[in-house]
Amino acid sequence: MEALLPVLKSHPGPSVLVCSLIFRLAHRLLQRLPVPKVVKQDAFRSWKWKNLSVSMVHSMLTGIWALTCVVVWPETLSDIHSYHTPLSYLLVCVSTGYFVHDATDIILSGHAKGSWEFLLHHALVIWCFLYALYTQLYVAGAVIALFVEVNSVTLHLRLMLKLAGAQSSTLYYINKLANLFTYVMFRLTTQFYLTWFIIHNYSWLDHGGYFLVSMMVMNIMILIYFYRLLRADFFPRSCAGQNGMHNNNTKKFISD
């Protein structure tokens, strides 16, 4: 790892592209796994299932990785601006590669218009993460931001169960409770902690204004998604006709 770090730091752009290609390879390999029949019958559901499969791999990998970095190196939580380790730098590089892959997949598959929220989110994340990789600043902040991927595991599973028409299953019920818990603990709490850190240390942070604006945009987005999540999973009567997946290829999904 020590030998790899100088290569990553001297060529962050190409390193991200390599990671992106690895996720593209994972995308192809995951297509060999069995897919529910109802998913195969619809082109949009089929694409979304493949897309979510890669997203699930990324979330499981980076969520655990980010938590491990903080447990092993607790300085990550307090020195968001300057602290990083070889493993945390590699984590940010790998995750940036995923977001580049996912944005490319959305655009090339022709779903950009219906997935503009995802693309806006990905653009903000990619820009912030690339800044961290090129300047070697805020790497710890990027690692903390990846705590949200713990919640993304349950979000992705929720959508895959909906794609498979399993909203009435016991697994969906258990997952929606876990999803609510992880959304609050790992998504909302993480975002608000990072926002507080930027505001509290705004006077001396490099490009603090840009990061504050980026965080505020993402905060608004996750609050909107949280409202949609609560409305769909816990107050379905108030949105009759909108809950679940329909054959008209609806594209309003909760973001990761």
Side-chain angles (χ1 to χ4, degrees):
M1 181 56 64
E2 295 293 339
L4 177 63
L5 187 61
V7 177
L8 296 177
K9 287 185 174 181
S10 60
H11 305 286
S15 299
V16 167
L17 291 178
V18 169
C19 293
S20 179
L21 291 175
I22 292 174
F23 278 105
R24 186 61 188 175
L25 176 61
H27 179 274
R28 290 193 175 276
L29 292 176
L30 288 169
Q31 292 183 28
R32 300 181 180 182
L33 297 178
V35 177
K37 185 177 180 180
V38 66
V39 173
K40 291 181 179 179
Q41 294 173 345
D42 183 274
F44 177 73
R45 291 191 188 200
S46 181
W47 167 77
K48 192 63 181 179
W49 183 276
K50 296 172 186 176
N51 180 269
L52 285 171
S53 297
V54 181
S55 298
M56 179 68 85
V57 171
H58 168 259
S59 295
M60 294 178 68
L61 173 65
T62 59
I64 295 173
W65 193 341
L67 290 175
T68 301
C69 284
V70 170
V71 171
V72 177
W73 299 286
E75 300 94 329
T76 303
L77 283 174
S78 56
D79 191 1
I80 291 177
H81 177 262
S82 304
Y83 184 79
H84 72 273
T85 66
L87 271 179
S88 62
Y89 190 92
L90 178 61
L91 167 60
V92 178
C93 188
V94 169
S95 191
T96 307
Y98 159 74
F99 285 110
V100 170
H101 155 77
D102 197 52
T104 303
D105 182 49
I106 291 173
I107 294 171
L108 295 183
S109 62
H111 297 292
K113 184 177 180 181
S115 305
W116 68 268
E117 295 169 345
F118 290 97
L119 291 177
L120 174 59
H121 169 269
H122 287 8
L124 291 172
V125 172
I126 290 170
W127 180 256
C128 291
F129 280 16
L130 282 178
Y131 180 95
L133 292 174
Y134 274 98
T135 65
Q136 299 172 36
L137 299 174
Y138 301 107
V139 175
V143 170
I144 295 172
L146 287 170
F147 282 10
V148 304
E149 295 303 328
V150 176
N151 168 245
S152 292
V153 172
T154 55
L155 271 180
H156 297 329
L157 179 58
R158 171 183 179 270
L159 293 181
M160 295 178 84
L161 289 171
K162 293 184 77 173
L163 287 169
Q167 297 96 313
S168 59
S169 66
T170 302
L171 178 58
Y172 187 91
Y173 177 78
I174 294 173
N175 184 73
K176 78 174 184 179
L177 296 178
N179 190 34
L180 178 63
F181 174 77
T182 57
Y183 204 106
V184 174
M185 289 299 298
F186 292 100
R187 192 172 293 271
L188 292 177
T189 302
T190 296
Q191 289 288 130
F192 294 154
Y193 173 70
L194 290 173
T195 303
W196 170 84
F197 181 89
I198 293 173
I199 293 175
H200 187 70
N201 300 281
Y202 182 82
S203 61
W204 61 270
L205 288 177
D206 297 282
H207 298 94
Y210 167 75
F211 287 104
L212 181 59
V213 171
S214 298
M215 289 302 301
M216 294 306 295
V217 172
M218 285 191 277
N219 288 343
I220 293 171
M221 292 175 69
I222 67 170
L223 288 174
I224 292 174
Y225 299 151
F226 189 51
Y227 165 73
R228 291 182 186 173
L229 179 68
L230 292 175
R231 186 183 63 179
D233 277 356
F234 296 95
F235 304 99
R237 292 183 182 179
S238 64
C239 56
Q242 297 179 32
N243 191 22
M245 204 68 60
H246 303 281
N247 290 330
N248 61 353
N249 293 346
T250 180
K251 299 178 182 179
K252 293 191 70 175
F253 289 100
I254 298 296
S255 178
D256 25 317

